[in-house]
């Protein structure tokens, strides 16, 4: 077991909530290393929380403990769970769909339900709205420090019993590659899709090829353009759109030095679909005089 604890929330940093989680974890053990995945998940957005875990978990050492708290159902009957992933990482989170992408793309070895009455910060029994501090950070620190084992955190529950959000599978049908726009590269407004690079390889698409990109929202076409499949952003002029490979080796769509999402009002999630295909080659011939 490593001594790494990584925190993700939708709390922001405008008050002391995240600091309180740090404090509780360090009271459990001053020896653990605490890092932040992000605290800027959009409020209540379980889909984005799930994706950011998938984006990040596998790049930490085996045994790292992740605590993800995007919890619109805090204080309700929803379960608190801890999972061990196929890659040997641990995630403590509400059972509300936050493990969707990890389960789908990486795999979960085992899930246990945490007893919210017994396994919580001492003297926090009357608090029912800050489980991020009282249950998740507290138990995350206990697990990361070795004070408690994964097996001691709770009883086994079926993998199939945990909540899961809908995922739209990427498809390669004919010469059309399609999928969903899963999330943004937030700071730069680029679109990250679930279409893998292998689809481009199978279709014979190479850097420099021109692609027709079509975006749909709830089945209605809202954007279409032809753009270059670029190796890097520098391959196109400033302000030009491009298709590229993101850090997860999936297909991304961007505008060089601008926000594609803002410019064209494109969102994310299963309501947003994208299709790509090789653009027809256009040859301009001079007219005979």
């Amino acid at each position: 077991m490593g001594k790494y604890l990584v925190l993700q929330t939708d709390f922001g940093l405008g008050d002391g909530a995240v600091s309180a989680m740090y404090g509780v974890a360090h009271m459990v053990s001053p020896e653990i290393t605490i890092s932040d995945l992000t605290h800027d998940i959009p409020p209540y957005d379980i889909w984005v929380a799930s994706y950011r875990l998938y984006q990040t978990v596998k790049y930490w050492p085996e045994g790292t403990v992740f605590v993800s708290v995007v919890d619109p159902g805090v204080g309700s009957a929803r379960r608190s769970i801890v999972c061990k992933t196929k890659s040997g990482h641990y995630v403590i989170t509400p059972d509300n769909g936050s493990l969707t992408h990890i389960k789908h793309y990486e795999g979960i070895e085992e899930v246990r339900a945490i007893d919210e009455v017994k396994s919580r910060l001492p003297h926090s029994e009357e608090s029912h709205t800050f489980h991020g501090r009282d249950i998740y950070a507290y138990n995350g620190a206990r697990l990361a420090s070795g004070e408690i084992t994964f097996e001691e955190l709770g009883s086994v529950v079926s993998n199939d019993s945990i909540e899961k959000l809908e995922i739209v599978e990427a498809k390669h049908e004919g010469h059309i590659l399609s999928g969903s726009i899963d999330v943004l590269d937030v700071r730069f407004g680029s679109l990250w899709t679930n279409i893998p690079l292998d689809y481009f390889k199978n279709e014979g698409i190479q850097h420099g090829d021109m692609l027709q990109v079509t975006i749909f929202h709830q089945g209605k076409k809202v954007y279409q353009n032809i753009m270059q499949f670029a190796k890097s952003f520098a391959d196109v002029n400033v302000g030009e759109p491009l298709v590229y490979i993101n850090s997860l080796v999936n297909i991304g769509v961007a505008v060089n030095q601008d926000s594609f999402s803002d410019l064209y009002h494109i969102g994310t999630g299963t309501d947003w679909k994208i299709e790509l295909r090789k653009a027809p080659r256009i040859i301009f011939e001079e007219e005979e005089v």
Side-chain angles (χ1 to χ4, degrees):
M1 175 72 66
K3 292 185 179 290
Y4 297 109
L5 176 64
V6 182
L7 305 179
Q8 169 176 275
T9 73
D10 58 353
F11 297 165
L13 296 174
D15 61 18
V18 172
S19 183
M21 293 174 69
Y22 266 73
V24 164
H26 279 309
M27 282 195 297
V28 171
S29 170
E31 309 252 325
I32 60 176
T33 299
I34 307 175
S35 296
D36 300 310
L37 195 162
T38 180
H39 298 291
D40 289 325
I41 299 292
Y44 320 118
D45 197 331
I46 298 166
W47 173 270
V48 174
S50 173
Y51 194 93
R52 295 306 179 199
L53 287 171
Y54 159 60
Q55 177 186 348
T56 309
V57 164
K58 60 189 172 184
Y59 296 106
W60 278 81
E62 184 177 349
T64 297
V65 178
F66 289 80
V67 164
S68 179
V69 190
V70 177
D71 194 13
V74 62
S76 70
R78 65 94 187 94
R79 296 182 296 189
S80 293
I81 54 177
V82 55
C83 84
K84 183 177 182 180
T85 70
K86 294 285 188 182
S87 57
H89 300 86
Y90 299 93
V91 184
I92 298 178
T93 186
D95 182 15
N96 58 11
S98 293
L99 294 174
T100 295
H101 290 86
I102 290 284
K103 180 179 180 182
H104 186 82
Y105 292 110
E106 304 294 336
I108 290 175
E109 185 173 305
E110 190 170 276
V111 182
R112 291 177 176 264
I114 298 172
D115 187 328
E116 295 182 1
V117 175
K118 295 179 180 178
S119 298
R120 63 181 301 137
L121 180 69
H123 313 300
S124 68
E125 295 82 4
E126 299 301 324
S127 174
H128 303 287
T129 59
F130 199 177
H131 286 177
R133 175 196 66 197
D134 300 336
I135 295 172
Y136 301 124
Y138 175 66
N139 284 302
R142 295 172 75 205
L143 182 58
S145 68
E147 178 182 308
I148 195 170
T149 66
F150 170 68
E151 290 76 17
E152 291 171 330
L153 269 175
S155 56
V156 175
V157 297
S158 166
N159 283 11
D160 293 334
S161 74
I162 66 174
E163 293 291 326
K164 185 178 178 182
L165 307 176
E166 178 192 4
I167 285 183
V168 174
E169 297 282 3
K171 296 179 181 178
H172 184 180
E173 298 178 325
H175 297 294
I176 299 176
L177 317 180
S178 63
S180 60
I181 301 172
D182 281 347
V183 79
L184 298 181
D185 184 347
V186 176
R187 188 166 179 83
F188 303 104
S190 306
L191 314 180
W192 282 22
T193 80
N194 65 340
I195 300 172
L197 172 60
D198 284 346
Y199 283 15
F200 271 32
K201 292 180 178 179
N202 293 338
E203 190 61 20
I205 297 172
Q206 300 179 347
H207 290 125
D209 287 345
M210 302 304 292
L211 303 177
Q212 178 180 291
V213 177
T214 308
I215 296 174
F216 302 86
H217 182 235
Q218 296 180 341
K220 180 180 179 181
K221 183 165 70 176
V222 295
Y223 176 90
Q224 188 171 70
N225 200 358
I226 293 176
M227 58 188 77
Q228 182 180 335
F229 175 36
K231 188 173 184 179
S232 73
F233 283 51
D235 289 347
V236 301
N237 295 323
V238 172
E240 284 189 16
L242 67 145
V243 176
Y244 71 104
I245 302 303
N246 70 17
S247 60
L248 294 181
V249 200
N250 287 336
I251 305 305
V253 179
V255 172
N256 188 12
Q257 297 187 34
D258 211 333
S259 168
F260 195 103
S261 174
D262 289 347
L263 284 173
Y264 302 108
H265 310 291
I266 306 299
T268 63
T270 54
D271 284 343
W272 293 87
K273 310 293 195 309
I274 187 167
E275 290 184 355
L276 300 97
R277 64 167 74 189
K278 268 189 179 181
R281 187 177 179 186
I282 301 175
I283 300 176
F284 296 95
E285 298 181 351
E286 294 184 3
E287 293 185 5
E288 296 183 3
V289 178

